[in-house]
Amino acid sequence: MSTTTRINIEAAKRFIYDDARLLERHRLAALFDDAPAGRVLDALRPYRNDDGGWGHALEPDLRGPDSQVSGALSALEVLAELGAAADPAVTSLATETADWLASVALPDGRVPHVLPTAVDYPAAPWMVPSEDGMLTFAVAAHLWKLGVEHPFLDAATQWCWGQLEENTLAGGTAMGGYTVHFALHFLDAVPEPGRAAAAVELLRPALREDGTIPLGGGIEDEKLTPLLLSPTPGTPSRALFTDAQISAELDRLEQEQLEDGGWDFDFAHWSPGQTVEWRGIVTLGALETLRQHGRL
């Protein structure tokens, strides 16, 4: 395991100030320079719609103005990063986002992957209207982290447990890579550690020997890696990976900093705007992951 960082943090910060959205600039300042959370919230609010949902390419792969579940997920991710104690508006925005999610949820508690309002706007090839419920795991995870109490979260959580315990144990349809990814985030956040630890083991067969999950239909050798599947130390999902695997992934992450100071992402680059926006997000994510693991 490395004891000294090989990354250039000043170059990474410069990349974000050069190329990232205002939102990521304020997130960087809040995470690394103790800037006020209010500035992050001020940069987040323009993505919000009057219906309480989020759109306008807050999630860069879906670029229409209308509220979408992926936009709500991105907003909750930022709010959870700040934490409920950072500003009173964090909890109110999270609760109002749960209200909107309840308005589009299906009767069984899951939320659709993409709503039909996306069809007339630019979007990634995989962002087509679908009632696939995989994002339900991720939005529930962030609401649990934020301490939100809401009927939508109760119904979504029940659906998530049903998918993990009833469908998996009954030998139902195998979960796809991103469903496993979001399910692990749910298990890391839901406040039932014993039950979560047991469910983590149900997902172990999805992993290859090196801890990755292959993704079909994407770019060549596209896969989910141990750090993407289990980004936070000390969580239930870490039981799936060895210390050596995590250490090797951290070494790899350090080595992937590019000459311009930023990191790139390993899924399809389908538009200049999408590429610039995702690079800012993954660069900030790389810095935070390395810091959480003592590499910064």
Side-chain angles (χ1 to χ4, degrees):
M1 180 176 175
S2 295
T3 56
T4 58
T5 185
R6 287 172 282 190
I7 77 156
N8 185 335
I9 187 169
E10 293 306 319
K13 288 183 174 181
R14 193 163 57 247
F15 173 81
I16 289 177
Y17 287 116
D18 266 348
D19 293 303
R21 302 183 295 192
L22 179 63
L23 177 59
E24 274 63 61
R25 296 177 186 214
H26 283 314
R27 291 173 64 197
L28 173 73
L31 284 169
F32 287 88
D33 298 316
D34 297 323
R39 294 178 185 169
V40 178
L41 298 174
D42 288 344
L44 185 62
R45 285 189 179 94
Y47 294 95
R48 192 164 182 254
N49 287 316
D50 291 342
D51 61 7
W54 305 81
H56 309 281
L58 180 57
E59 204 281 23
D61 286 316
L62 206 53
R63 307 192 68 79
D66 298 302
S67 297
Q68 288 285 340
V69 174
S70 61
L73 172 58
S74 296
L76 290 173
E77 185 174 6
V78 173
L79 296 173
E81 178 182 277
L82 293 173
D87 190 295
V90 169
T91 296
S92 60
L93 284 170
T95 301
E96 289 162 12
T97 302
D99 290 341
W100 179 81
L101 287 164
S103 75
V104 299
L106 297 169
D108 62 4
R110 71 192 145 112
V111 284
H113 183 204
V114 178
L115 298 171
T117 50
V119 296
D120 292 330
Y121 299 97
W126 56 88
M127 286 294 198
V128 295
S130 164
E131 293 187 350
D132 184 303
M134 68 177 177
L135 296 186
T136 312
F137 290 105
V139 295
H142 290 310
L143 289 170
W144 279 117
K145 290 176 187 173
L146 286 158
V148 171
E149 295 182 3
H150 197 282
F152 164 75
L153 180 57
D154 297 338
T157 298
Q158 185 174 354
W159 181 85
C160 293
W161 281 126
Q163 292 297 300
L164 286 162
E165 296 176 335
E166 298 170 18
N167 191 29
T168 305
L169 284 176
T173 303
M175 287 184 172
Y178 272 107
T179 304
V180 174
H181 170 64
F182 294 132
L184 288 173
H185 290 349
F186 168 77
L187 294 171
D188 284 346
V190 69
E192 295 183 72
R195 191 177 182 184
V200 162
E201 291 305 316
L202 296 175
L203 299 175
R204 187 181 291 277
L207 274 63
R208 298 188 292 200
E209 189 174 348
D210 65 356
T212 65
I213 299 177
L215 293 170
I219 64 174
E220 184 177 358
D221 195 33
E222 187 172 342
K223 59 182 178 294
L224 295 170
T225 62
L227 271 180
L228 286 173
L229 294 163
S230 181
T232 307
T235 50
S237 61
R238 277 295 159 95
L240 295 176
F241 308 102
T242 66
D243 290 343
Q245 285 174 326
I246 296 298
S247 182
E249 284 294 302
L250 290 167
D251 291 343
R252 179 190 57 76
L253 187 60
E254 288 185 347
Q255 293 162 4
E256 288 181 346
Q257 186 178 23
L258 300 177
E259 289 292 324
D260 62 11
W263 275 258
D264 204 352
F265 53 96
D266 59 0
F267 51 91
H269 298 47
W270 60 272
S271 87
Q274 175 254 12
T275 299
V276 167
E277 292 172 0
W278 266 122
R279 285 202 64 201
I281 294 169
V282 300
T283 295
L284 186 60
L287 292 176
E288 182 60 3
T289 297
L290 291 168
R291 183 170 70 166
Q292 286 189 2
H293 289 82
R295 296 290 185 107
L296 289 181

